[in-house]
Amino acid sequence: MANNSAAKKRIEIAERNRLRNRTYKSALRTLMKRCFVACADYSKNPGDEAKASVSASMNAAFSKIDKAVKVGVLHRNNGAHQKSRLSATVRKVLEPSS
């Protein structure tokens, strides 16, 4: 337990930041999962609507990753890794190697 007011304040701030970070990470995981599901749907039955869904979900996930890095929820290398992972999956689905 905290012994002085400064320590108590740091505990409160850490809890506030933890909750904010948790919401960012949860939203990020949701958007990434939506992108992977859209890629799977596109690979099952390709079409213009499915392709638009893939690109829209990827753009939303990229935006959220960038915002999480900017706020400090994610390290920039972690953000770059997640964006690379998403773009590799999308590229593999949209441009299959012949």
Side-chain angles (χ1 to χ4, degrees):
M1 189 63 202
N3 288 329
N4 57 27
S5 61
K8 288 178 187 173
K9 184 175 180 181
R10 292 307 312 163
I11 290 171
E12 291 171 3
I13 290 171
E15 179 65 16
R16 181 192 69 201
N17 292 345
R18 184 185 70 82
L19 293 174
R20 185 184 307 138
N21 292 348
R22 190 174 68 174
T23 58
Y24 258 98
K25 287 182 181 179
S26 174
L28 191 92
R29 279 190 224 105
T30 302
L31 289 172
M32 288 183 67
K33 200 176 295 184
R34 280 187 192 156
C35 186
F36 291 135
V37 167
C39 287
D41 290 344
Y42 180 79
S43 64
K44 287 179 186 171
N45 49 358
D48 290 338
E49 187 176 320
K51 192 171 190 176
S53 174
V54 168
S55 64
S57 63
M58 186 179 77
N59 289 338
F62 272 26
S63 176
K64 195 61 155 179
I65 290 170
D66 289 336
K67 287 177 185 173
V69 168
K70 185 175 78 172
V71 172
V73 174
L74 293 180
H75 190 273
R76 61 195 159 110
N77 290 350
N78 190 345
H81 177 244
Q82 298 302 335
K83 286 169 69 171
S84 173
R85 196 173 140 217
L86 277 174
S87 60
T89 303
V90 170
R91 196 178 320 113
K92 192 182 296 182
V93 170
L94 294 182
E95 303 166 11
S97 58
S98 314

